[in-house]
């Protein structure tokens, strides 16, 4: 299969792939990462130079793989998106947990679960 993308579309694809891989693996230890997502991200970053985005990827000889560079993380919107996501998720989860705690204290956990 071949997909034709402009350089700008490829840049957005890198951002989406980075964000998706982060959602999948950020809460796991490196040894528990889901390899298929990790490998796909590395593969996508291996094409950065050909798209004129060589500053967005770093090649690590010891791992023989391409990784997002600090330039990518600093010059794209990924950090902003992650901060927005984390902030929204934190507050939503906090509200849910506090509401559950208060309701369980009032009527009992067993009754609340029913």
């Amino acid at each position: 299969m071949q997909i034709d993308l402009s350089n700008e579309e490829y840049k957005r694809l890198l951002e989406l792939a980075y964000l998706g891989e982060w959602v999948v693996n950020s809460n796991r230890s490196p040894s528990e990462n889901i390899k298929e997502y990790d490998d796909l991200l590395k593969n996508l970053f291996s094409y950065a130079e050909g798209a004129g985005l060589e500053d967005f990827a770093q090649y690590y000889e010891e791992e023989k793989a391409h990784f997002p560079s600090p330039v990518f993380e600093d010059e794209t919107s990924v950090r902003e998106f992650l901060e927005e996501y984390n902030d929204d998720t934190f507050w939503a989860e906090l509200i849910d947990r506090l509401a559950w705690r208060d309701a369980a204290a009032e009527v009992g956990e067993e009754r609340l679960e029913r």
Side-chain angles (χ1 to χ4, degrees), residues 87-106:
D87 191 47
D88 186 57
T89 303
F90 169 78
W91 290 110
E93 187 67 24
L94 180 63
I95 291 166
D96 287 348
R97 289 181 186 217
L98 291 175
W100 177 268
R101 181 202 64 190
D102 293 349
E106 189 171 317

Side-chain angles (χ1 to χ4, degrees), residues 36-56:
E36 293 84 359
Y37 294 96
D38 194 40
D39 289 347
L40 179 57
L41 185 66
K42 292 172 189 171
N43 185 24
L44 289 171
F45 271 90
S46 73
Y47 295 98
E49 185 175 349
L53 300 170
E54 55 277 343
D55 290 345
F56 281 13

Side-chain angles (χ1 to χ4, degrees), residues 5-80:
L5 301 171
S6 70
N7 288 356
E8 189 61 29
E9 289 172 324
Y10 172 69
K11 178 183 171 188
R12 296 289 173 244
L13 179 61
L14 289 179
E15 292 173 341
L16 283 170
Y18 178 91
L19 293 166
E21 193 277 336
W22 183 88
V23 168
V24 170
N25 284 325
S26 68
N27 62 335
R28 302 174 197 285
S29 68
S31 65
E32 295 174 326
N33 277 1
I34 299 175
K35 188 174 175 2
E36 293 84 359
Y37 294 96
D38 194 40
D39 289 347
L40 179 57
L41 185 66
K42 292 172 189 171
N43 185 24
L44 289 171
F45 271 90
S46 73
Y47 295 98
E49 185 175 349
L53 300 170
E54 55 277 343
D55 290 345
F56 281 13
Q58 285 184 309
Y59 182 75
Y60 289 90
E61 185 64 41
E62 60 276 3
E63 296 196 39
K64 305 226 181 298
H66 290 83
F67 291 84
S69 71
V71 172
F72 170 80
E73 293 173 340
D74 290 341
E75 292 187 9
T76 64
S77 299
V78 294
R79 282 193 181 171
E80 178 184 326

